[in-house]
Amino acid sequence: FKYIASILKNPSVQSIECPGPEKQILVNNSGRMQVMPQSLTKEQISEIIKRISEKTRIPVIQGVFKAAFEGLIITAVISEFVGTRFIIQKRFPSFMPR
């Protein structure tokens, strides 16, 4: 989670997309998509979604998970079949998470 938070602290970053386990992370930086060399494991993705679920008290179930907290919006697809994936977007362009 610290890796994702460190990317979001950059004021020019608008969103982060994790297209699934072991797939490179995509970052929308000032309207340009950048492919990061890092990827997340299935366990790391689950941990990020679990932490957000705990903070927002929104349960994680198969299907679509959507939550807003601390100036961020997360949309995730929870699926064992196609692989869990998520997008984290800033609600306000200048927002910097704690």
Side-chain angles (χ1 to χ4, degrees):
F1 195 70
K2 290 180 182 180
Y3 171 69
I4 298 294
S6 68
I7 293 172
L8 288 169
K9 285 184 180 180
N10 180 337
S12 64
V13 169
Q14 298 168 344
S15 67
I16 296 176
E17 179 178 349
C18 176
E22 309 305 331
K23 295 183 180 174
Q24 290 178 301
I25 293 172
L26 305 170
V27 176
N28 181 339
N29 191 344
S30 298
R32 291 187 332 227
M33 292 304 285
Q34 297 177 316
V35 179
M36 305 302 284
Q38 294 82 2
S39 62
L40 299 174
T41 65
K42 180 179 175 180
E43 293 77 20
Q44 289 171 318
I45 293 169
S46 294
E47 181 63 25
I48 289 169
I49 294 170
K50 178 183 166 202
R51 283 184 168 184
I52 293 169
S53 169
E54 289 170 355
K55 287 183 178 190
T56 60
R57 297 183 180 166
I58 297 172
V60 177
I61 57 172
Q62 290 286 327
V64 176
F65 173 82
K66 192 159 188 166
F69 76 105
E70 296 182 1
L72 300 172
I73 298 171
I74 180 168
T75 305
V77 174
I78 315 295
S79 172
E80 292 295 321
F81 182 68
V82 297
T84 298
R85 60 196 70 207
F86 66 83
I87 297 174
I88 298 175
Q89 299 171 296
K90 290 182 180 177
R91 291 174 69 183
F92 313 103
S94 61
F95 175 76
M96 299 210 333
R98 292 181 247 155

